């Protein structure tokens, strides 16, 4: 079995300081650690560079001409495109007030000059890791997202142990959003997340991974013999609880009436069900996690063509 060989690009760090000696020192040492480093010597130049090509992290001096580090950080936090950009503040003073000013302006961490290079590298690594973990978690469900999902499947591919990838999706979800709005739709998504999590926990060993792709799509990575019990429990409990999320009249009628966007006529849409597409590593020679996800997604489309909740397995075999 071959394994993914793509090497991720180096993480990009912007170093901003009006002291040219410090900039050269930091840039040289971070370059030796494998980072791609760019430099700016004042706050205005830094903002221009960030607008042109957003880095993964900014090392920013507190005291600078034109725009100081506090103002640069405030502007970054005020812009939706850069509000989550990690910032480590440099200060030439060890006074508590400077640390407080830096952190309250939105900096993720601070380091006092003069500093040891190993300390700076450690703080950069820690800040990048925290930021990565934050970006990988869905704010609605608290579940890991696409990056973590692909890494989990990559790990399973490397292990050589047979596994299953299940792509889980709510049928009729668009009608819920159209009829009730996104806030109610989020309740359906959160309910499915809870039921999947409960089913995953009770599935026992080996450990099962649960991720949230986005919207009403989830991914479960588990042993092949765990698929049935996870699917049966999560689907039955979700359907039972989801009924209570409908308005009483719609629940009693057993369907939603939603206006068609094309004809403006009412269309009857049944209550939500769940479609699950399953890709099995034992069936095919997979080389990349995206290939596994694509097959699971393909089988999810097959499941959607069946009435009610349905689990569709990929039975096609390419392995000898």
């Amino acid at each position: 079995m071959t394994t993914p060989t793509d090497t991720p690009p180096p993480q990009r760090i912007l170093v901003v300081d009006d002291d040219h000696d410090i900039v050269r020192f930091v840039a040289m040492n971070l370059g030796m650690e494998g980072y791609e480093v760019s430099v700016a010597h004042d706050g205005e130049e830094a903002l221009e560079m960030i607008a042109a090509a957003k880095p993964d992290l900014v090392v920013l001096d507190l005291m600078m001409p034109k725009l100081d580090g506090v103002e640069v950080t405030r502007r970054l936090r005020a812009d939706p495109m850069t509000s989550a950009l990690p910032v480590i503040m440099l200060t030439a003073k060890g006074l508590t007030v400077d640390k407080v000013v830096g952190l309250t302006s939105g900096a993720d961490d601070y380091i006092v000059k003069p500093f040891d290079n190993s300390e700076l590298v450690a703080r950069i690594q820690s800040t990048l890791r925290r930021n990565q973990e934050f970006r990988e978690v869905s704010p609605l469900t608290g579940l890991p997202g696409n990056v973590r999902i692909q890494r989990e499947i990559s790990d399973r591919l490397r292990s050589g142990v047979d596994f299953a990838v299940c792509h889980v999706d709510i049928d009729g979800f668009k009608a819920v959003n159209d009829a009730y709005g996104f806030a109610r739709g989020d309740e359906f998504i959160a309910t499915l997340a809870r039921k999947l999590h409960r089913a995953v926990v009770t599935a026992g060993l080996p450990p099962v991974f649960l991720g949230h792709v986005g919207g009403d799509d989830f991914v479960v990575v588990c042993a092949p013999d765990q698929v049935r019990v996870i699917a049966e429990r999560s689907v039955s409990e979700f359907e039972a609880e989801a009924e209570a999320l409908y308005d009483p009249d719609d629940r009693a009628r057993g369907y939603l009436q939603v206006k068609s966007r094309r004809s403006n006529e009412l269309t009857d849409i049944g209550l939500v069900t769940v479609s699950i597409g399953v890709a099995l590593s034992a069936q095919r020679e997979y080389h990349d996690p995206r290939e596994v996800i694509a097959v699971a997604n393909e089988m999810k489309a097959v499941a959607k063509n069946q009435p009610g909740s349905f689990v569709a397995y990929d039975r096609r075999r390419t392995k000898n």
Side-chain angles (χ1 to χ4, degrees):
M1 178 182 293
T2 58
T3 57
T5 57
D6 291 344
T7 301
Q11 292 174 299
R12 295 178 295 111
I13 310 293
L14 174 62
V15 180
V16 190
D17 198 310
D18 60 323
D19 188 321
H20 289 244
D21 291 334
I22 288 179
V23 166
R24 282 194 296 268
F25 170 77
V26 173
M28 179 185 69
N29 283 285
L30 293 182
M32 292 174 63
E33 293 290 335
Y35 295 105
E36 181 181 312
V37 183
S38 53
V39 301
H41 298 290
D42 62 63
E44 289 183 353
E45 183 184 10
L47 290 174
E48 291 173 0
M49 293 179 67
I50 292 168
K54 190 171 73 173
D56 295 297
L57 181 142
V58 178
V59 178
L60 180 64
D61 188 30
L62 177 64
M63 302 298 294
M64 292 186 299
K66 297 183 180 179
L67 292 178
D68 64 15
V70 170
E71 182 59 27
V72 170
T73 305
R74 285 174 176 161
R75 293 192 186 188
L76 292 175
R77 295 295 177 255
D79 186 342
M81 297 301 293
T82 57
S83 60
L85 179 61
V87 174
I88 294 179
M89 192 80 77
L90 301 179
T91 174
K93 304 173 184 178
L95 297 177
T96 302
V97 65
D98 293 304
K99 302 171 187 177
V100 171
V101 167
L103 293 174
T104 55
S105 69
D108 296 87
D109 202 352
Y110 67 89
I111 187 168
V112 178
K113 296 189 288 187
F115 50 82
D116 182 76
N117 180 64
S118 61
E119 180 185 3
L120 176 62
V121 171
R123 288 181 180 271
I124 287 174
Q125 291 174 341
S126 176
T127 302
L128 286 170
R129 183 172 60 252
R130 288 197 306 269
N131 185 257
Q132 177 80 0
E133 290 170 351
F134 174 79
R135 287 189 291 111
E136 290 180 4
V137 173
S138 162
L140 174 60
T141 63
L143 296 173
N146 289 307
V147 174
R148 181 67 182 84
I149 291 169
Q150 291 197 31
R151 189 160 68 239
E152 178 69 24
I153 298 173
S154 293
D155 291 344
R156 304 268 180 148
L157 284 172
R158 279 190 288 269
S159 74
V161 177
D162 287 342
F163 65 92
V165 171
C166 311
H167 194 155
V168 185
D169 178 70
I170 303 176
D171 305 316
F173 179 71
K174 181 178 178 297
V176 169
N177 272 342
D178 288 346
Y180 298 140
F182 291 108
R184 184 85 65 90
D186 284 350
E187 293 183 42
F188 281 79
I189 293 171
T191 298
L192 180 56
R194 289 196 303 271
K195 300 310 176 184
L196 284 168
H197 183 262
R198 182 172 176 179
V200 160
V201 170
T202 56
L205 297 175
V208 180
F209 172 85
L210 172 61
H212 185 188
V213 177
D216 59 322
D217 289 273
F218 296 84
V219 166
V220 176
V221 185
C222 60
D225 60 3
Q226 292 174 311
V227 173
R228 184 180 61 81
V229 65
I230 292 172
E232 288 180 354
R233 178 161 192 166
S234 60
V235 169
S236 63
E237 292 188 2
F238 169 72
E239 288 183 341
E241 191 164 321
E243 282 194 22
L245 298 176
Y246 285 92
D247 286 352
D249 290 345
D250 295 328
R251 182 168 62 249
R253 190 168 52 234
Y255 58 86
L256 285 173
Q257 289 188 317
V258 181
K259 283 188 177 181
S260 169
R261 294 182 180 179
R262 292 184 178 180
S263 63
N264 209 35
E265 296 179 354
L266 289 176
T267 302
D268 296 343
I269 307 293
L271 303 186
V272 293
T273 54
V274 178
S275 288
I276 303 176
V278 183
L280 300 166
S281 66
Q283 299 291 110
R284 292 175 175 239
E285 188 74 24
Y286 289 109
H287 307 292
D288 188 288
R290 290 168 293 189
E291 296 173 352
V292 193
I293 295 171
V295 171
N297 185 56
E298 182 183 356
M299 299 314 299
K300 183 196 71 175
V302 172
K304 279 186 170 294
N305 287 325
Q306 306 301 317
S309 294
F310 195 87
V311 182
Y313 291 82
D314 180 32
R315 303 294 186 184
R316 298 165 295 182
R317 179 175 290 273
T318 61
K319 278 186 176 181
N320 296 324

